[in-house]
Amino acid sequence: MRRTRSHLLPLLLFLLSACTPAGGPESGPGPEAAVEPAIASGPSTSDDRSATARLLDEARDAVARRDWAGAAAASRTVVDRYAAVPGSSEALRILARASLETGDLETARVAAEQTTELFGAGNPRHAEGQLVLGEVDLAEGDTLRAAIRLASLPPGAEASTVADAKAILVELTPTLDAASLDAILRRVPSPSPPAVPLLIESGVTLHFQGDASGAAAAGQSALALNPSSDEARVAQALVDGTVEEILGRAPLLAALLPATGPPSLTEFGTLLEEGVQVAIEMEREGARRPAQLRTLDDGGSVQGAVNQLQEAERTGASAFIGPLLDDALAATARNRRRAVPMISPTARNVPEGVPAVYSLSGPDPRPARMLADYAARSGLSRVVLMYPRIPSSSFEADAFRAAFESAGGTVLRELAYPAGTTYFENDMRQVEELVPDALVLPLQAPDIELVAPQVTFFGLDTLGVRVLGTSEWGRREVLDVVDPRHTNGVVTVSPFLAGRQPPAATEFQTRYEALHRKTLRSNVPALGFDAARILLEALSGGARSAEDLDRELSGLRNFPGATGTFSVEDGLLVREHFLVRLENRTMLPVIVP
């Protein structure tokens, strides 16, 4: 993208006013030598010089009026026709700037390169040409090359040229990750004053990565380049190792996970922590202030989770991962002193009316709404809902009913059975009597294992009753356990298109196996990874308070994770879903009519 900066105009006008070519004999400069040399050697006539003076006046006037097209036209004529006239190099510099401003990057580059070749490295005009070249690089999207040019202006640059180069780098530096900063500074062996923002940012990165000597060296280099007072304060803090006193500490993620307690929970906690560690390592590769991770053992109990949360609050946790269970999540959320955001990887429910609490496995209305839309558009106008009386299934049933009835469908009956029921003959007989177009089953995995075989056993499939199931039906652990005779033909939803693994999941698997040196055999670590990545994404926006961080989370849209693509809607963390049909333990895409 081309950048136009109004503060360059006074500089250019000043340079132009000091660079009027002088007259002389018909060949070469006269006794009163021109301030600017000719672009090329050769003879020139008085008519040539008069024409050059007139065109340069036109170019200067056009610059003053910000008529960049006019300035380019007048200066180009001088460059093309009067290159041998003393002072014509001024037109070269005007052409470079005017072409940049009009978006003619190729002409700007050629003119700026000629400027740097014409003037030696110790000449202020050389630095001016290098400034334009850096801006051309930036406009063409070559950020690293631009930064390298601007950070290595040669000695002798005008103060205003240095200021302009530095202003660009001040704007550019926050967009660079740690690897890019390192690459730039390694290719600038002798940084010039515009490099101060890069040096300071690199030093801050090294400091938060634990490289105290590298941070101090960057601070010393910045101090040697005449930094501003604010820059000098941070640079000196890098030398002294006191950066936190000025910039604050790096974000701290506190993971409330069971390392002791019931074996089933501790195994989950270990796997989740492994996923979180992958996310932290990924961030350290590019973040300038990488987040720190502190894992706290909550023992798998409500009181343990509350106690560890209070400890984490005392150490200034920026966000929480966990706890795992519904009641522990509700208790810790309500015991926070401030609404520091929490994401549980596994809780099925989130406490109502409590801000900044999310779960990757919590209520998500999208799957049920998608099934309702599919049913309505497929001509399935009469359905029966059957589900256990547990919050997660009741939530999905409510979401389906609202969307289905809004589309003109009819829910003939809701069969809500007590949690723990194992035999469903009475429910199946009612479905048989009603003969709906579809039986909608918003079930969790344990209930699917019980209900699906009984749908077949009681012959509902022979009556032409379609079966629709929410997202749990497509989970690998369900498909691997339930005989495909009982799931074939079920229309459900999946966070992945026809079950295909997305790029984020592939990358996670690669990084997990490289970091932990073992094969990834479970989906659980991916939940820890996604919880951490979502929080790190929100923290990357520069949030300074719990409220700022939750605002960042509330704006999350289409974030690619290892377990799906995430957004936050109405205070809930939801995934994008796709319609699929189950067939022989595989998922086939469904085209909605």
Side-chain angles (χ1 to χ4, degrees):
M1 181 183 295
R2 181 174 61 86
R3 300 176 178 225
T4 302
R5 301 193 315 284
S6 60
H7 65 274
L8 288 174
L9 186 58
L11 163 66
L12 191 53
L13 291 174
F14 170 79
L15 293 174
L16 297 179
S17 66
C19 301
T20 305
E26 291 197 357
S27 59
E32 197 176 340
V35 175
E36 299 278 359
I39 298 171
S41 60
S44 63
T45 67
S46 58
D47 289 342
D48 293 339
R49 292 191 289 276
S50 296
T52 299
R54 176 178 53 78
L55 288 165
L56 285 173
D57 282 342
E58 288 181 15
R60 297 186 195 104
D61 182 61
V63 168
R65 292 183 286 105
R66 302 184 62 78
D67 175 12
W68 298 112
S75 58
R76 187 191 300 272
T77 302
V78 173
V79 172
D80 291 345
R81 297 184 185 178
Y82 305 111
V85 174
S88 57
S89 58
E90 180 186 353
L92 196 62
R93 294 185 298 106
I94 296 175
L95 179 60
R97 172 59 58 188
S99 298
L100 176 65
E101 299 293 341
T102 59
D104 183 358
L105 301 182
E106 181 58 31
T107 299
R109 181 180 293 283
V110 170
E113 286 175 345
Q114 287 181 288
T115 299
T116 58
E117 292 169 4
L118 187 61
F119 295 97
N123 191 296
R125 305 295 179 258
H126 181 99
E128 187 182 341
Q130 189 162 320
L131 171 63
V132 173
L133 286 172
E135 293 183 85
V136 172
D137 290 335
L138 198 58
E140 291 178 340
D142 194 341
T143 301
L144 296 188
R145 187 176 182 182
I148 291 165
R149 284 193 198 275
L150 298 174
S152 55
L153 290 186
E158 296 273 3
S160 52
T161 302
V162 171
D164 287 323
K166 187 173 181 180
I168 296 172
L169 290 177
V170 166
E171 182 180 347
L172 185 62
T173 298
T175 70
L176 301 171
D177 59 23
S180 298
L181 278 168
D182 181 62
I184 291 165
L185 290 173
R186 278 191 287 104
R187 294 172 63 182
V188 182
S190 299
S192 61
V196 167
L198 297 170
L199 288 165
I200 289 178
E201 197 63 48
S202 175
V204 169
T205 299
L206 293 170
H207 174 86
F208 284 112
Q209 289 179 341
D211 184 354
S213 61
Q220 289 169 340
S221 295
L223 288 170
L225 295 174
N226 191 31
S228 68
S229 57
D230 287 341
E231 291 169 335
R233 193 162 62 97
V234 179
Q236 189 61 53
L238 288 170
V239 175
D240 299 337
T242 58
V243 174
E244 284 85 356
E245 295 178 10
I246 298 175
L247 301 180
R249 59 172 181 75
L252 172 65
L253 292 188
L256 305 178
L257 301 173
T260 58
S264 59
L265 274 182
T266 58
E267 181 182 359
F268 254 74
T270 298
L271 292 172
L272 288 166
E273 184 178 10
E274 289 176 350
V276 173
Q277 288 168 347
V278 176
I280 293 293
E281 288 302 313
M282 279 182 62
E283 199 221 6
R284 283 178 181 159
E285 294 176 7
R288 293 187 298 275
R289 294 178 64 189
Q292 306 299 307
L293 173 65
R294 186 180 182 194
T295 303
L296 301 167
D297 176 18
D298 64 13
S301 71
V302 173
Q303 191 57 52
V306 171
N307 291 343
Q308 294 291 20
L309 173 127
Q310 292 171 344
E311 170 62 22
E313 283 188 321
R314 283 193 290 271
T315 59
S318 305
F320 294 97
I321 299 169
L324 303 188
L325 302 179
D326 293 7
D327 51 358
L329 179 64
T332 51
R334 292 191 171 99
N335 276 277
R336 292 170 299 173
R337 289 179 298 176
R338 296 180 299 119
V340 175
M342 311 180 72
I343 296 182
S344 171
T346 57
R348 290 292 183 186
N349 302 287
V350 294
E352 293 186 10
V354 181
V357 185
Y358 306 90
S359 175
L360 297 185
S361 305
D364 183 348
R366 283 187 171 188
R369 289 171 182 169
M370 181 170 282
L371 283 178
D373 178 71
Y374 165 78
R377 294 172 66 178
S378 300
L380 306 176
S381 59
R382 302 162 66 255
V383 306
V384 170
L385 272 165
M386 179 178 168
Y387 56 93
R389 292 193 191 98
I390 59 175
S392 55
S393 290
S394 297
F395 177 89
E396 290 187 312
D398 291 344
F400 179 92
R401 184 195 327 103
F404 189 59
E405 291 179 345
S406 177
T410 301
V411 177
L412 297 174
R413 190 167 299 171
E414 292 193 35
L415 304 172
Y417 57 85
T421 301
T422 59
Y423 189 57
F424 303 95
E425 180 178 7
N426 181 56
D427 299 297
M428 296 301 170
R429 296 303 182 201
Q430 291 187 61
V431 177
E432 184 179 16
E433 291 174 5
L434 292 167
V435 194
D437 297 321
L439 174 62
V440 183
L441 299 170
L443 309 178
Q444 301 303 311
D447 282 275
I448 296 172
E449 295 176 28
L450 294 169
V451 173
Q454 296 186 51
V455 171
T456 306
F457 178 79
F458 286 104
L460 297 186
D461 54 332
T462 64
L463 300 177
V465 177
R466 301 282 299 278
V467 177
L468 309 182
T470 46
S471 57
E472 291 276 305
W473 283 76
R475 288 177 58 179
R476 190 73 261 160
E477 46 266 49
V478 170
L479 297 178
D480 288 344
V481 171
V482 180
D483 192 299
R485 291 179 301 152
H486 309 313
T487 58
N488 284 349
V490 173
V491 173
T492 181
V493 294
S494 169
F496 305 134
L497 184 61
R500 290 197 294 264
Q501 183 166 275
T506 302
E507 182 182 16
F508 168 67
Q509 180 174 350
T510 300
R511 288 178 174 273
Y512 175 93
E513 293 177 350
L515 178 64
H516 296 295
R517 299 183 182 276
K518 63 180 180 179
T519 302
L520 178 65
R521 301 186 183 279
S522 167
N523 292 327
V524 175
L527 291 170
F529 174 79
D530 281 348
R533 288 280 289 164
I534 289 168
L535 289 171
L536 292 171
E537 173 70 11
L539 285 165
S540 71
R544 295 288 186 181
S545 66
E547 293 75 20
D548 288 344
L549 181 57
D550 195 42
R551 274 193 292 272
E552 291 287 338
L553 283 170
S554 298
L556 187 76
R557 296 292 182 272
N558 302 318
F559 181 78
T563 63
T565 300
F566 293 92
S567 299
V568 171
E569 293 180 0
D570 300 323
L572 298 175
L573 195 54
V574 300
R575 287 179 178 86
E576 182 180 14
H577 283 84
F578 303 91
L579 283 167
V580 295
R581 179 171 56 84
L582 303 181
E583 200 68 44
N584 295 323
R585 294 193 168 111
T586 63
M587 300 183 194
L588 303 176
V590 171
I591 307 300
V592 181

